[in-house]
Amino acid sequence: MFNLILFGPPGAGKGTQAIKIAEKFGWKHISTGDILRAEVTQGTPLGTKVRAVMEEGHLVSDELLIAIMESVFIKNNTVKGFVLDGFPRTINQAQELDEMLHKLGQKVSLVLALEVNEDELLKRLLNRAREQGRKDDDGEIIKNRLRQYHHHTKPLIEYYKNKKLLKEVYGVGTIDDIFNALCKAIVD
Ligand code: AMP
């Protein structure tokens, strides 16, 4: 089983690329942001709990995310591989993921980090706010999400570098060029 983590700041294009990679390799795409947004839209107890946190651009608790991922792994035990998009986002989540995979006789296969400069990220997130009306994609909230990324998520680069699992891919250019670079990094 191939367990790929697609890593990067908000606005790096993880979602778009994760869908394409999952389709090409026949892997299951897991976006924790999509899972949480669906809970919010459906008004489930979990959705009600996380709505405000998400709308402010803060991170949902590790405990909830780990419970979500445990059920994802239980439900999808026959897939050939996973493309994880938006998880892990903290060192604690990464450690818990290692443990969950270990229990299943699995491990993280590769981490692909999309590199995009801050000006480009801001531009993309503001555009997405206009086009898709994502509530967490506007002004101050965008800055919050980038702050959360720098504080909690960016340290994962070192975590996976130390495990020799990280490859960095330049994330500015056409969708197809970036996709090709990611695919090359997977098969190399
Ligand atoms: P995304 O679509 O990946 O940008 O996620 C949207 C929002 O969902 C984030 O800003 C967080 O509030 C929440 N979220 C998604 N994944 C995680 C995670 N792994 N840990 C904590 N919060 C998350």
Side-chain angles (χ1 to χ4, degrees):
M1 194 152 109
F2 201 94
N3 296 303
L4 173 71
I5 296 173
L6 194 55
F7 182 88
K14 297 188 295 296
T16 306
Q17 297 294 343
I19 292 168
K20 288 172 76 71
I21 292 169
E23 194 181 19
K24 180 180 167 86
F25 292 92
W27 297 336
K28 176 92 182 162
H29 171 218
I30 300 294
S31 156
T32 45
D34 285 352
I35 293 172
L36 290 166
R37 275 186 292 277
E39 298 279 343
V40 170
T41 308
Q42 288 160 29
T44 64
L46 173 61
T48 312
K49 206 164 164 181
V50 300
R51 181 186 192 128
V53 175
M54 288 179 74
E55 286 180 357
E56 285 162 9
H58 289 119
L59 292 183
V60 172
S61 77
D62 287 344
E63 203 188 346
L64 279 179
L65 263 297
I66 289 153
I68 288 171
M69 288 308 293
E70 267 171 350
S71 77
V72 163
F73 287 128
I74 291 167
K75 262 193 238 149
N76 297 282
N77 59 355
T78 57
V79 303
K80 285 196 297 173
F82 285 102
V83 185
L84 302 186
D85 154 16
F87 182 91
R89 253 177 162 103
T90 64
I91 295 279
N92 186 23
Q93 289 180 16
Q95 288 167 338
E96 292 283 344
L97 174 65
D98 285 342
E99 215 163 285
M100 276 187 262
L101 290 174
H102 182 73
K103 277 190 205 145
L104 300 168
Q106 302 281 333
K107 58 186 178 48
V108 172
S109 310
L110 176 67
V111 181
L112 292 178
L114 282 168
E115 285 182 311
V116 178
N117 65 62
E118 199 94 350
D119 286 349
E120 176 72 19
L121 290 175
L122 270 170
K123 202 171 79 188
R124 290 184 189 180
L125 290 165
L126 286 165
N127 269 340
R128 188 160 73 183
R130 258 199 307 273
E131 285 164 12
Q132 299 178 1
R134 249 180 77 163
K135 277 201 184 146
D136 60 353
D137 267 354
D138 81 43
E140 272 312 296
I141 298 167
I142 289 178
K143 292 198 185 124
N144 240 348
R145 297 179 71 215
L146 290 171
R147 238 179 264 132
Q148 300 279 314
Y149 169 77
H150 285 288
H151 190 69
H152 296 287
T153 310
K154 210 175 171 186
L156 290 176
I157 292 180
E158 280 309 305
Y159 181 85
Y160 287 118
K161 248 186 203 165
N162 289 337
K163 291 181 180 281
K164 310 238 179 305
L165 287 172
L166 189 95
K167 287 187 189 170
E168 289 172 303
V169 173
Y170 187 56
V172 183
T174 68
I175 289 177
D176 283 343
D177 285 347
I178 299 162
F179 177 59
N180 290 335
L182 290 167
C183 290
K184 192 165 174 292
I186 292 169
V187 297
D188 260 0

